[in-house]
Amino acid sequence: AQTVTQSQPEMSVQEAETVTLSCTYDTSESDYYLFWYKQPPSRQMILVIRQEAYKQQNATENRFSVNFQKAAKSFSLKISDSQLGDAAMYFCAYRSDTSGTYKYIFGTGTRLKVLA
Amino acid sequence: GAVVSQHPSRVICKSGTSVKIECRSLDFQATTMFWYRQFPKKSLMLMATSNEGSKATYEQGVEKDKFLINHASLTLSTLTVTSAHPEDSSFYICSARVGWDNEQFFGPGTRLTVL
């Protein structure tokens, strides 16, 4: 069974600085997708970035980028120029389409605090 | 992006009563809808997967008789918590899968409090 691990329960970053959130996963499949979701205090899940496993190029979305290391099964999120609005819970998620269920498996989350 | 709504946003009920939560995809037809449960400061735990017109598939450990899921149309799925007890108090989140992309879009969640 696939698992997703986020080893950092909480992280802090100074406003305007850069922070990296870690995520590792375990799977025997070769075709899958990885996601980072943000959950602010409102509890609405917001997609931050996604990565297709077959793509070697790391995904980027403005200030958000990932370091995808397929062999190491690592998928970290880098937030540059951190802003106060980035403070939230961040969840790493895995999805395999192989079984046809399209289920997401979420990590335990990392709470990000942004210090002014 | 695609919008998913949930109703109600929060509900308080007495122990022993049943509560229904609706999940709607507003601007697209959802091939599949998912129901998650989230405890305070915890991750999302998948409860069940529902496809329109068929029975829901429940995850291991989820009581199908307590958490009834109906997916009557491509835009509406409902979760009914039957004979609710205080331990059922939680935050329930639905998501809807877009067929052409398989990406899930999440509803804003429903906070259930059972007294």
Side-chain angles (χ1 to χ4, degrees), chain A residues 3-74:
Chain A
T3 59
V4 177
T5 302
Q6 292 179 250
S7 59
Q8 306 155 316
E10 191 171 292
M11 292 283 284
S12 294
V13 63
Q14 206 69 35
E15 195 176 6
E17 297 295 311
T18 297
V19 65
T20 299
L21 307 184
S22 301
C23 173
T24 58
Y25 58 95
D26 189 26
T27 185
S28 58
E29 297 171 341
S30 59
D31 188 19
Y32 50 88
Y33 296 77
L34 296 165
F35 305 84
W36 278 99
Y37 279 89
K38 171 184 178 181
Q39 188 180 45
S42 68
R43 307 290 287 271
Q44 174 72 60
M45 296 289 283
I46 301 167
L47 176 64
V48 175
I49 201 165
R50 61 181 275 172
Q51 174 82 42
E52 292 89 340
Y54 64 85
K55 290 187 177 180
Q56 293 187 343
Q57 187 172 8
N58 289 324
T60 62
E61 285 289 341
N62 301 314
R63 298 183 295 108
F64 300 88
S65 61
V66 298
N67 184 2
F68 174 48
Q69 302 290 325
K70 190 172 184 178
K73 297 179 182 174
S74 170

Side-chain angles (χ1 to χ4, degrees), chain A residues 39 43-44 50 95 107, chain B residues 38 43 101-103 106 111:
Chain A
Q39 188 180 45
R43 307 290 287 271
Q44 174 72 60
R50 61 181 275 172
R95 187 191 88 205
Chain B
Q38 185 179 29
S43 187
D101 187 71
N102 296 322
E103 184 172 330
F106 289 84
R111 180 176 301 283

